Amino acid sequence: MAVAASGTRERPVPLRLRRRAVVASIVVLWLVLFALLRGRQTLALAAADLTSLHRWLNDVNDTIGADRNSNPLFLYFFNEIRLVIDTLVTFVQTLVSQPPDGRPVPQIGWLGVVAVAGYVSWALGNWRVALLAVAGFTFFGLQGLWQESMDTLALTLSAVLVALLAGIPLGVWAGMSSRVNRVVTPVLDFMQTMPTFVYLAPLTLFFLIGPASATIATLVYAAPPAVRITAHAIRSVPATTVEAAESLGSTRAQTLTKVLLPMSRRTVVMGVNQTIMAALSMVTIAALIDAPGLGKTVVQALQSLDVGTAFNAGLAIVVMAIVLDRVTTAAAVRSERTRHPGARRRWRGPLLGAGAVAAAVAVWLSHTYVWAAEFPGEGGAGRSLASAADTVTTWAQDHLSGLTNGVRDVLTTTLLNPFQTLLTDSPWWLTGLVLVALGGVLGGIGAGATAAVCVGLLVGTGLWQDAMTTLASTAVATLLVMLLGVTVGVWMGRSALADRIVRPGLDAAQVMPPFVYLVPFLALFGASRFTAIVAAVVYAAPVTMKIVADGVRGVPATTVEAATAAGSGTWQLVTKVQLPMSRGALVLATNQGLIYVLSMVVVGGLVGAGALGYDVVAGFSQGELYGKGLAAGLAIVLLGVMFDRITQAAAGRTTRVPGRR
């Protein structure tokens, strides 16, 4: 009897299936309780209403403003930092964008800037990149946006300089010390999880509104890639190479300068590339705290729904991003080639010398003569582009409104509105318990505890409903991102040709700052939360597609061949083999998609997305709402931390070897 019983014993249900059943049970219970308790204890707060926390933050802001020039902490710390950064920014601006006292034009005019840009691009990269840089910088003038472009470049370069001066040494230290790396990594994870908006409000509290605060926010946002990638580069140098150098008597400093840094040069330069891209993205958003440049033009155009002007300035931002990206990427390639002496060309040195002389002459001419300092013309190309964009917008609204409005209405009615209603009309404690329970089931006890803390703090911000509205938009956008990311990612992962065709476009899309994505969808869908959602989908899709593609491509070829030999068709191969075996990549793609989407949905507050994004923007523009805007920034951080912790923990669970602890 015992043998028979053991022979018919049922196999245990896989943990993954049990987890799905628990999640389904939680959702069903939520729906039942929602039907019974709808509209009760929702913690609703009108747009103009303030809580005691918001008023307290307003008082703190007023107190800091009154004591700014008397409090020792400000006199000898914050004000000094602001003075140093402001001096650096002013110096760079007087070089290329703003006239100093006693001069009608900057120290270096357009001709000198274009010549220097071309020469530096050639010296760091090659002649093709130099031509691209010259064409790109000339295009800024033809658009009528020369000064705005130079202001953006000045703030970007200032922030990148300080970020690299601090980030690369810290990255080297973290790369050489495991203890430092363990301390730094969680901080970098937290900083990169925070959406860009969040940096602005607290920094204005200590450094006021203006270029200095914008630069400080930019360098804080741009420093993590420099630290992380430099540390990774140092730690990636083969241990045998380091041991060989040490066995020959190299000191720690010699090992660093003669082995580690030369062998990790290309990766470090790519870290510089990522730092520059992050800085440019942040500088454009920092227009909300009065940073000069192209970002301010885009913000003003978006607020007035002037699609033509926004398109013209957005195109300039894209061109600048492409130029800076290509230059630093080419520099990384050249840094690798210079490690091999045979790759050097004898004629390059004399040509670089002649180019330096030509660039110096152009700088002198632009410093001396007005015709070489002020870009000729009145920006006719920019007006033509703006007019063309307005024409296309009008045509699209006249001829495509039926299609665009239909898509918007279907997704809003069938997906967004029901989910938002579920989140915002449920009692706050019910929604909070569901979030904590889902966090615990999907990510484990640690993720559930993090979700509990975040939920409690979200209630404390007084912006529970706005946070749930933002959560609804983020969840819907992430769902659409994953549908798009999995579809295209599987195609790229299964086809090398598709990957070669699609990946360059994805790389280019990741270069563009978030603001740029709002412009075309503002033209198609008008100012609404749906515009922000669509822009977020397009902004986040490239990174998810690449992660999914790499995951699918990483499935062992022998496994795919075995499944094919067993008679599996394409659909079965994808759904039964490749996607299940790349589950870790799918969860990681969801994590990155959530973070990107959250950042973009918040930026969408500029085009009618409302909720937390609107609260932050209103806090910058209306003094009495500053405390509310600061609380909204905290709420955004809490959502980001909760999302990141749950998805990271879930990714760890999916990649864990079964049966191993």
Side-chain angles (χ1 to χ4, degrees), residues 526-538:
S528 68
R529 56 181 176 164
F530 188 75
T531 300
I533 290 175
V534 177
V537 170
V538 177

Side-chain angles (χ1 to χ4, degrees), residues 435-441 443-457 641-642 645-646:
L435 292 175
V436 173
L438 291 177
V441 172
I445 296 176
T450 301
V453 172
C454 290
V455 165
L457 293 175
V641 169
M642 183 167 61
R645 183 68 186 90
I646 292 173

Side-chain angles (χ1 to χ4, degrees), residues 588-599:
L588 178 61
T590 304
N591 170 273
Q592 293 300 296
L594 271 169
I595 301 304
Y596 274 67
V597 164
L598 179 61
S599 176

Side-chain angles (χ1 to χ4, degrees), residues 103 105-109 362-370 372-373:
R103 282 181 60 87
V105 292
Q107 297 288 357
I108 304 175
V363 168
W364 178 80
L365 290 173
S366 68
H367 178 78
T368 307
Y369 298 100
V370 174

Side-chain angles (χ1 to χ4, degrees), residues 26 56 131 187 203 230 243 297 333 383 441 563 626 632 647 654:
I26 292 172
W56 179 78
L131 287 179
V187 178
L203 287 173
T230 301
E243 292 169 359
T297 304
V333 174
R383 288 195 299 273
V441 172
Y626 179 84
T647 51
T654 58

Side-chain angles (χ1 to χ4, degrees), residues 26 33 72 78 127 193 238 284 291-292 396 429 479 492-493 497 536 542 555 558 574 588 594 605 608:
I26 292 172
L33 293 176
F78 292 117
W127 64 269
T193 299
T284 57
W429 53 266
L479 175 62
M492 292 172 59
L497 176 62
V555 175
T558 53
V574 170
L588 178 61
L594 271 169

